[in-house]
């Protein structure tokens, strides 16, 4: 396995590999659909990045984002899996919403999640008039919460019944924020 990584924009040809990582990373009730990924790519291509192994060009992970205007608030509806980016995204907005991030199990533990997160924050900070970045993470996903804290995010709220991690119950989501 290479230690060299590239960050690049997602392309339509990447959707199958993105779906495979999504299926390996999330239970059915939390997964995004192919149509949602395609819409994100079409509406905000600069916000859909991939981590790719430099030697083999194998897709190792992805991050998807959107920019929200100030009046859009993080609610269960706006944060819903498979929500339409076209209804919320506004390149003149002030909030970067990190809608999804996942790393293939074969590439976990190499710092790629942190690399993608820092890359998107730095590049959107330089190219858009953002005030903050937000994300929501399942309360039970401790590794993800630690990653976000390492990258400067702080826990700022809790939303009940956000994550359908099993068929019996919806788990709370922790709202996290990074101030630019």
């Amino acid at each position: 396995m290479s230690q060299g990584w590239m960050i690049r924009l997602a392309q339509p040809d990447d959707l199958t590999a993105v779906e495979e990582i999504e299926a390996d990373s999330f239970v059915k009730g939390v997964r995004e659909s192919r149509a949602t990924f395609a819409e994100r790519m079409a509406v905000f291509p600069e916000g859909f990045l991939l981590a790719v192994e430099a030697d083999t060009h194998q897709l190792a992970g992805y991050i998807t984002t959107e920019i929200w205007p100030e009046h859009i608030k993080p609610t269960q509806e706006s944060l819903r899996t498979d929500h339409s980016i076209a209804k919320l995204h506004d390149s003149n907005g002030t909030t970067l919403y990190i809608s999804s991030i996942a790393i293939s199990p074969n590439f976990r533990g190499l710092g790629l999640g942190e690399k993608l997160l820092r890359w998107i924050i730095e590049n959107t900070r330089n190219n858009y008039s953002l005030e903050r970045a937000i994300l929501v993470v399942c309360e039970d996903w401790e590794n993800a919460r630690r990653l976000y804290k390492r990258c400067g995010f702080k826990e700022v709220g809790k939303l009940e019944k956000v994550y359908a991690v099993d068929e019996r119950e919806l788990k709370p989501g922790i709202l996290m924020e990074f101030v630019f």
Side-chain angles (χ1 to χ4, degrees), residues 12 97 124 127 163 179:
Y97 171 53
T124 54
N127 295 308
Y163 285 96
V179 178

Side-chain angles (χ1 to χ4, degrees), residues 94-96 120-122 124-125 130-133 178-180:
T94 58
T95 300
L96 178 69
I120 197 75
I121 287 171
E122 192 59 35
T124 54
R125 174 189 297 184
L130 299 172
E131 296 173 5
R132 67 186 185 144
F178 176 95
V179 178
F180 289 99

Side-chain angles (χ1 to χ4, degrees), residues 72-91:
I72 302 291
K73 303 298 179 207
T75 64
Q76 285 164 315
E77 182 60 23
S78 62
L79 299 168
R80 181 178 48 82
T81 301
D82 274 344
H83 71 272
S84 174
I85 182 177
K87 294 178 181 177
L88 301 175
H89 180 78
D90 178 352
S91 293

Side-chain angles (χ1 to χ4, degrees), residues 55-128:
D55 295 342
T56 66
H57 301 281
Q58 185 176 0
L59 177 59
Y62 67 85
I63 188 168
T64 63
T65 64
E66 52 205 69
I67 297 175
W68 290 357
E70 193 171 320
H71 72 274
I72 302 291
K73 303 298 179 207
T75 64
Q76 285 164 315
E77 182 60 23
S78 62
L79 299 168
R80 181 178 48 82
T81 301
D82 274 344
H83 71 272
S84 174
I85 182 177
K87 294 178 181 177
L88 301 175
H89 180 78
D90 178 352
S91 293
N92 296 313
T94 58
T95 300
L96 178 69
Y97 171 53
I98 297 163
S99 50
S100 189
I101 182 171
I103 304 299
S104 169
N106 297 335
F107 296 100
R108 290 185 186 152
L110 301 174
L112 295 176
E114 186 169 342
K115 184 182 221 66
L116 281 168
L117 199 52
R118 290 187 187 281
W119 182 281
I120 197 75
I121 287 171
E122 192 59 35
N123 283 289
T124 54
R125 174 189 297 184
N126 293 333
N127 295 308
Y128 298 91

Side-chain angles (χ1 to χ4, degrees), residues 140-153:
D140 293 347
W141 298 346
E142 290 295 328
N143 288 343
R145 288 170 69 184
R146 278 193 298 276
L147 164 66
Y148 304 141
K149 287 177 182 178
R150 270 196 320 273
C151 290
F153 283 80

